[in-house]
Amino acid sequence: MTQLPLRAQLASALGRTAATLSRVTGRGDGSVIGGRVGLVLEPDLLRQLARDRKLALVSATNGKTTTTRLITSALLELGEVASNAFGANMPAGHVSALSQNKTAPYGVLEVDEKYLPEVLDTTGADVVCLMNLSRDQMDRAAEIWLLAQKWRRALSGRPTHVIANCDDPLVTWGASTAAQVTWVSGGQRWKEDSWCCPECGGPLERKDNDWACRECTFHRPEPHWVLDDDAVVDPRGQRWVLDIQLPGLANRSNAVMALAVAEALDLPVQRALPRLREVTSVAGRYTTVEREGRQARLLLSKNPAGWLEAFDVADPALPIILSVNAQGPDGRDTSWLWDVDYRILRGRPVFVTGERRLDLALRLEVADVPFQLCATFSEALAAQPPGRVDVIANYTAFQQIRSEFGRAV
């Protein structure tokens, strides 16, 4: 790789020092502060760090961190990979990730949906992976149609190879201006944000994964990659059993996206798939932690679509702890709780905690789901009999629980 200019080298080194100090002093994992320091000293640092790398960007409302981890795992077959493994998905986090491994020939960066146009313009990434768009952090994020429109403008005329989920109409619309698109049928269970055509506003006719507008020509493209239950069918029609350790349909969809990205970076399925099967947890997601004979499996869910996927993974025979906060990273508006169908929890022991536990308690009361209110997560866990329990928490609640157990990953 081309050596960085002296100013960029200094900025990168000081950023790494700041990140190290943050970790050593217990203030954080350093994945943001290091990048902020570097960008203050050299505003063009991200562009310079991205130069001469094979770079993939991953963006979506749900599944970014997991898919980034899966792609990274696959590309390790080819060499070192720089990645923002813990989800710091804005430019400061990208700078920190690339600075920490500045000689790696490959980079895989999770990117916040709003920041994708800026990061793509800055880095000139080779591949962009687009998976889904649904409502999220309504007090912070723009209307998702506007996000899709920003994606369209950013991709128009670029040579970037786009890997996109054609089962999501908004993603399809956002990706369709790109010069080269590989379409993936990864599934879309949450459809409540995509019943109208983003092209003309007309109603969409939907049947299983297929969809088409009733009033214009906008329709689902023919997929190159297809998720078929527990297997993927590649563009040549060959079927590969996924057999990954991460649970649920959403993670099988993430795996198919990862395989398509890997192939776009010249790594064939037969070499990428074994690497994907080695991934057992992602930044604490799906990890089981233990305290006094109780084994708690941690599931992250940040928005209505994410809760739907978490319910798919949760074991209906087990008690469940739900924890909701509304801090800055979560979005302070909890009205999205009313878009989640909690009736699936009827008949199992439900325990509610978190800073906004009363908001969630009211939602469960209306859904006629019995629950026990707990002041803290520790209290909720102590209320369980010895054995297994599932935990679903939104972002900052999840991180607080991880911290109680030493940030298990």
Side-chain angles (χ1 to χ4, degrees):
M1 295 179 65
T2 305
Q3 189 173 27
L4 291 174
L6 185 59
R7 184 185 182 91
Q9 289 184 48
L10 178 61
S12 180
L14 289 175
R16 291 195 301 275
T17 300
T20 300
L21 287 172
S22 177
R23 288 190 294 270
V24 169
T25 58
R27 294 178 178 271
D29 59 20
S31 59
V32 174
I33 186 61
R36 286 179 177 169
V37 169
L39 285 169
V40 167
L41 295 171
E42 173 51 89
D44 200 39
L45 186 57
L46 178 57
R47 187 187 312 274
Q48 296 183 37
L49 287 168
R51 189 179 298 138
D52 299 331
R53 300 185 202 246
K54 285 279 189 181
L55 191 64
L57 308 181
V58 180
S59 198
T61 306
N62 291 297
K64 295 187 293 291
T65 303
T66 299
T67 305
T68 297
R69 172 66 179 275
L70 290 169
I71 297 168
T72 300
S73 182
L75 291 181
L76 286 170
E77 183 76 8
L78 299 177
E80 287 185 88
V81 184
S83 183
N84 50 341
F86 294 102
N89 57 23
M90 299 178 193
H94 303 147
V95 165
S96 186
L98 296 179
S99 291
Q100 290 296 328
N101 200 343
K102 61 182 187 298
T103 62
Y106 295 91
V108 183
L109 299 178
E110 170 188 339
V111 184
D112 180 90
E113 305 93 286
K114 287 180 64 174
Y115 282 85
L116 180 64
E118 174 189 336
V119 175
L120 177 59
D121 184 61
T122 301
T123 63
D126 302 272
V127 177
V128 171
C129 177
L130 305 176
M131 301 187 298
N132 53 70
L133 276 175
S134 66
R135 69 193 79 169
D136 184 56
Q137 295 188 24
M138 289 180 288
D139 58 339
R140 169 191 168 271
E143 159 64 45
I144 54 175
W145 282 36
L146 295 178
L147 289 176
Q149 188 176 64
K150 289 178 181 179
W151 286 6
R152 282 174 66 82
R153 292 171 179 164
L155 293 169
S156 180
R158 284 191 175 274
T160 301
H161 186 166
V162 176
I163 311 297
N165 181 7
C166 64
D167 296 337
D168 187 322
L170 275 175
V171 169
T172 300
W173 189 64
S176 59
T177 58
Q180 182 181 7
V181 185
T182 294
W183 298 111
V184 179
S185 176
Q188 186 198 27
R189 267 200 296 208
W190 176 263
K191 298 181 173 69
E192 302 310 312
D193 294 310
S194 52
W195 288 107
C196 297
C197 174
E199 184 68 31
C200 74
L204 290 178
E205 190 78 47
R206 305 201 66 154
K207 183 178 180 182
D208 298 325
N209 287 330
D210 198 18
W211 54 266
C213 180
R214 296 179 190 171
E215 297 184 2
C216 74
T217 60
F218 189 58
H219 64 280
R220 176 179 177 261
E222 191 67 28
H224 302 96
W225 295 77
V226 177
L227 175 63
D228 182 16
D229 191 24
D230 63 347
V232 57
V233 180
D234 70 19
R236 294 157 295 281
Q238 186 167 353
R239 182 182 174 88
W240 304 84
V241 176
L242 289 172
D243 194 27
I244 60 172
Q245 297 191 62
L246 298 179
L249 174 62
N251 281 317
R252 295 197 296 276
S253 176
N254 294 337
V256 177
M257 302 297 295
L259 289 172
V261 171
E263 184 164 284
L265 293 170
D266 300 320
L267 179 64
V269 177
Q270 59 265 34
R271 294 178 64 189
L273 189 51
R275 292 276 188 172
L276 268 57
R277 291 170 178 157
E278 295 173 0
V279 179
T280 58
S281 69
V282 179
R285 297 157 174 83
Y286 318 111
T287 295
T288 297
V289 295
E290 185 167 358
R291 177 183 292 169
E292 298 177 348
R294 300 166 180 87
Q295 298 88 41
R297 182 174 58 158
L298 308 183
L299 306 173
L300 175 68
S301 182
K302 302 177 290 185
N303 49 50
W307 280 76
L308 185 65
E309 300 301 343
F311 291 153
D312 174 58
V313 173
D315 187 336
L318 298 180
I320 191 165
I321 299 172
L322 310 178
S323 184
V324 171
N325 288 351
Q327 298 180 16
D330 307 304
R332 300 191 185 281
D333 180 354
T334 59
S335 62
W336 58 268
L337 290 169
W338 295 86
D339 295 321
V340 181
D341 188 353
Y342 289 100
R343 291 175 296 178
I344 193 173
L345 299 179
R346 290 175 182 170
R348 62 190 296 187
V350 177
F351 298 80
V352 176
T353 185
E355 296 167 0
R356 299 298 285 268
R357 56 190 176 275
L358 294 181
D359 292 2
L360 181 53
L362 176 60
R363 177 68 187 94
L364 294 175
E365 181 76 22
V366 170
D368 197 23
V369 176
F371 62 90
Q372 180 175 327
L373 201 62
C374 301
T376 65
F377 173 75
S378 294
E379 179 185 320
L381 188 60
Q384 311 304 316
R388 296 185 298 140
V389 59
D390 281 330
V391 178
I392 303 178
N394 71 343
Y395 186 75
T396 62
F398 185 87
Q399 300 304 339
Q400 288 169 358
I401 294 168
R402 284 184 68 207
S403 296
E404 285 193 36
F405 291 91
R407 294 183 69 84
V409 295

